[in-house]
């Protein structure tokens, strides 16, 4: 390995598998450390997701499908250089898609402002938690000797945000289950268990239930962020001719 945890990772072309410096080696060569082809670490291979090449509804749908079906390959092809504008717009689009979930839409049609407020809160949480994860990846990268600056981490979490499209529906499902399984009393909330009626929950039950619910909601996003962090920990930032030609046409 070219670096140890806690040490600065060198600049320049690195082997994207092990982090070994590849400066001066031809594309036809092999990495002296791990034996992977140098060509596999050429930044030109990182053309970016469909959304960055075609920021349309169709490009968005292709990106979502790719991130959910083959996240490892998608992050291996993620472009980490250039403008991050489209990546940021992708996060916002995911947040808006989370807002326009069936529960919120039905609540809005019913004229209940609480659903609108809950939807707007969801949008804020998706964006804030996504960028907090970027900071977390930077910290982890520094501890492990990865080359994962904030600019790269932002790209990773932007597309890992696809996981919220699974997590947010889970959140609304858990919220509906909560409504069905609880009743209010003068002393607070009671569990409405079949055959037992309202039963007082033991101390700490609601805290544990909330923590477990959040873990289930955030799990798809966290899994994608983990895969992306691993795939981009030594990502090379450089020009991508194919991407640049498409961007110029757009």
């Amino acid at each position: 390995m070219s670096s140890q945890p806690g040490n600065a990772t060198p600049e320049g072309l690195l082997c994207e598998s092990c982090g070994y410096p590849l400066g001066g080696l031809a594309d036809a060569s092999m990495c002296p450390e791990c034996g992977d082809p140098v060509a596999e670490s050429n930044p030109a291979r990182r053309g970016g997701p469909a959304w960055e090449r075609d920021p349309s509804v169709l490009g968005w749908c292709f990106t979502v499908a790719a991130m959910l079906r083959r996240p490892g390959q998608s992050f291996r092809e993620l472009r980490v250089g250039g403008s991050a504008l489209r990546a940021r717009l992708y996060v916002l689009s995911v947040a808006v898609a989370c807002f326009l979930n069936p529960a919120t839409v039905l609540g809005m049609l019913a004229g209940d402002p609480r659903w609108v407020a809950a939807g707007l809160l969801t949008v804020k949480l998706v964006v804030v938690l996504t960028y907090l994860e970027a900071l977390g990846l930077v910290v982890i990268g520094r501890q492990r000797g990865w080359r994962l600056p904030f600019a790269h981490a932002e790209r990773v979490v932007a597309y890992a945000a696809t996981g919220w499209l699974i997590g947010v529906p889970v959140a609304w499902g858990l919220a509906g289950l909560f409504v069905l399984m609880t009743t209010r009393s003068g002393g607070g909330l009671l569990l409405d268990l079949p055959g037992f009626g309202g039963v007082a929950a033991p101390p700490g039950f609601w805290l544990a239930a909330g923590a477990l619910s959040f873990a289930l909601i955030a799990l798809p996003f966290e899994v994608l962020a983990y895969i992306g962090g691993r795939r981009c920990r030594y990502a090379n930032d450089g020009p991508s001719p194919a991407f640049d030609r498409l961007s110029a046409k757009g």
Side-chain angles (χ1 to χ4, degrees), residues 18-248:
C18 68
Y20 190 88
L22 299 177
L25 296 178
D27 276 4
S29 304
M30 298 294 181
C31 172
E33 181 73 14
C34 68
D36 278 5
V38 171
E40 293 291 331
S41 298
N42 190 325
R45 294 177 61 87
R46 291 185 171 273
W51 166 259
E52 296 209 356
R53 299 190 299 272
D54 176 24
S56 64
V57 173
L58 190 60
W60 188 88
C61 291
F62 279 141
T63 299
V64 169
M67 282 291 165
L68 295 179
R69 291 180 57 193
R70 43 185 179 83
Q73 181 179 344
S74 296
F75 282 114
R76 179 63 185 82
E77 298 171 355
L78 181 66
R79 192 187 190 205
V80 295
S83 172
L85 176 60
R86 291 182 182 178
R88 294 166 185 166
L89 290 176
Y90 184 80
V91 176
L92 290 177
S93 69
V94 168
V96 171
C98 290
F99 171 75
L100 296 175
N101 65 80
T104 303
V105 172
L106 290 174
M108 292 169 61
L109 293 176
D112 190 340
R114 292 176 298 179
W115 287 102
V116 178
L120 292 175
L121 178 61
T122 300
V123 171
K124 295 177 182 178
L125 286 175
V126 165
V127 175
V128 170
L129 292 176
T130 296
Y131 273 86
L132 284 176
E133 184 71 16
L135 295 176
L137 282 180
V138 172
V139 172
I140 292 173
R142 289 177 179 174
Q143 292 175 342
R144 299 186 179 183
W146 296 349
R147 183 172 66 185
L148 195 62
F150 182 81
H152 294 193
E154 181 184 22
R155 290 295 187 91
V156 169
V157 300
Y159 291 100
T162 306
W164 293 119
L165 296 174
I166 298 175
V168 169
V170 170
W172 289 112
L174 291 173
L177 185 63
F178 174 80
V179 171
L180 292 174
M181 293 188 61
T182 58
T183 55
R184 284 191 174 275
S185 69
L189 291 173
L190 300 177
L191 287 174
D192 192 7
L193 301 177
F196 294 92
V199 178
F205 173 82
W206 297 115
L207 181 61
L212 178 60
S213 299
F214 180 77
L216 291 174
I217 294 165
L219 182 61
F221 167 67
E222 291 291 344
V223 169
L224 288 180
Y226 172 79
I227 295 173
R230 296 286 301 179
R231 289 286 182 167
C232 297
R233 66 191 188 277
Y234 300 119
N236 292 298
D237 178 352
S240 180
F243 175 83
D244 292 335
R245 284 197 299 270
L246 288 167
S247 297

